[in-house]
Amino acid sequence: MSDSILRDKSKDFAKQVVELCREVKKEKRESVLTNQLLRSGTSIGANIYEAQYAQGTKDFISKFEIALKECPESEYWIELLFETGYIDQNAHKSLKNECGAIRRMLISSITTIKENQSDK
């Protein structure tokens, strides 16, 4: 799987998170949960982008692992926003599916890199 696909997906996810949080803040005046989601949801892509300029394989893996750790946190905030009535089921399902897809891509990429590294 190409890193550019992962970068594109993570950036698209970040934009969706920004839009959702902007709407929730404006319409429902909620900022505690949305600020948390903004941090974790945009951090995924930021770490994937930063990995492009890693100082070696270990640094690259570390950036991807940080991005991976942000995925379940983002999923948690999305779930909490849904369960407290701030977002509807469509937004919840869409964002969780996108985040899950990114998480699976990160796991696959990290696994492949580690396997390739141990083959050397």
Side-chain angles (χ1 to χ4, degrees):
M1 183 147 320
S2 170
D3 285 344
S4 64
I5 294 169
L6 184 54
R7 282 193 306 266
D8 291 346
K9 280 188 88 58
S10 65
K11 188 174 186 180
D12 288 342
F13 176 73
K15 291 190 290 189
Q16 291 173 30
V17 165
V18 169
E19 287 297 320
L20 176 87
C21 291
R22 182 183 297 148
E23 183 180 317
V24 170
K25 284 181 176 189
K26 181 180 176 185
E27 302 287 324
K28 304 199 176 171
R29 306 224 187 282
E30 197 298 315
S31 62
V32 175
L33 302 176
T34 52
N35 285 342
Q36 291 292 116
L37 177 57
L38 273 170
R39 278 192 275 286
S40 63
T42 57
S43 178
I44 296 167
N47 279 288
I48 291 168
Y49 267 71
E50 190 175 342
Q52 292 177 86
Y53 301 99
Q55 297 175 335
T57 305
K58 285 184 180 182
D59 189 33
F60 186 90
I61 292 169
S62 176
K63 300 296 183 219
F64 267 36
E65 287 176 337
I66 292 167
L68 178 60
K69 287 169 46 175
E70 297 293 342
C71 289
E73 181 179 347
S74 297
E75 291 171 330
Y76 172 80
W77 297 119
I78 292 164
E79 194 171 298
L80 200 53
L81 282 163
F82 172 65
E83 290 179 3
T84 55
Y86 285 108
I87 62 173
D88 65 24
Q89 187 170 6
N90 290 337
H92 171 254
K93 187 175 180 180
S94 174
L95 285 172
K96 283 220 31 174
N97 286 342
E98 275 302 304
C99 195
I102 293 165
R103 180 175 31 82
R104 289 186 296 277
M105 290 171 71
L106 282 164
I107 290 168
S108 176
S109 296
I110 292 166
T111 302
T112 300
I113 294 164
K114 285 182 176 180
E115 285 173 355
N116 289 342
Q117 189 179 25
S118 67
D119 290 342
K120 292 180 179 179

